Amino acid sequence: MRSLLGVFPEMSKEIHTCRYSQDQLEAVLELSARSISTTRTRHTWIQNNMTAVLTYSGNDLIGAIPLERRKLTIGDGRLTEVLWVSGAHVDEQYRSAGVGSAMDRSIEEYFSEEASGVFVYRGDPQSAAFRWYKKNDYKVVASIVSLERDAQSSCRTGQLYKVLTKLEDIEKISSKLKIAFERKYCTALGFVSRSSRYWVDKIKYHLYFKDYKFSVLILDRKAGLRSYAFLGQTSLGDGQLRLDIFEFVAVETERQELLDAVAD
């Protein structure tokens, strides 16, 4: 437990941070539900191996930074444990008073022996949230460019490719997806490690699983599965129906064909 008396002298003398424990899950979910950030569920929290830094005022939970434990590739078959920030929840009356920044500083204190780094994804550099992370010493380590292309027609199963939407069908090819991914990115750095259950678990336990209709598009070849796209149909955010590409893996000779199949 870490006291915040020096940070918030004008507030309750009982404000403090602590590391999350399982008996605090219901309180965290209640805070998430009343927050302006993405709501967590018991289902996604447990299955994504979440933890958190929490802030209390007396016995009342007033803030939380949820963290997902992940393993990233660092080359030569090696992995490193990291924490992925998936939001910052602070009750309205405590916002803009340093509660979130105090929790962020506590991440290193509570988890330094378990994780080699703390990461967050933000796709909106002009937003207040992006500026908040920059203020708290997060550095941009990679940029993701968002591209858009008009769809030509509805996705359908054809002779050259297949679209799998059922979990049992995706599970049957999961080992082949893993081989295709590792063949393409065996020397790449910074990817979340894949197991043969990665895609099924992502569909079942994705934070926005209720907002997406997931599918896997594969090119059907005698040479085997070498190219695929992991897709999600949604109208989340802007209300416009679209197809998001979560993962695009293709050998050089099949890249354009896979992209055309996604747009088909």
Side-chain angles (χ1 to χ4, degrees), residues 42-102:
R42 171 181 289 273
H43 176 76
T44 57
W45 186 278
I46 294 175
Q47 296 300 330
N48 285 298
N49 195 23
M50 302 289 291
T51 186
V53 172
L54 309 178
T55 295
Y56 280 84
S57 176
N59 295 322
D60 299 324
L61 181 64
I62 63 167
I65 292 183
L67 303 162
E68 183 180 341
R69 297 181 178 92
R70 294 185 179 183
K71 294 181 180 180
L72 296 187
T73 57
I74 55 175
D76 300 324
R78 295 174 298 151
L79 301 172
T80 187
E81 300 273 356
V82 302
L83 294 172
W84 207 275
V85 176
S86 62
H89 308 292
V90 178
D91 274 343
E92 186 173 2
Q93 63 268 38
Y94 294 96
R95 293 175 195 158
S96 301
V99 174
S101 295

Side-chain angles (χ1 to χ4, degrees), residues 128-147:
F130 187 92
R131 293 194 297 271
W132 183 84
Y133 285 110
K134 291 282 287 182
K135 182 188 73 174
N136 283 283
D137 296 327
Y138 285 79
K139 304 295 190 297
V140 176
V141 295
S143 297
I144 299 176
V145 179
S146 179
L147 303 175

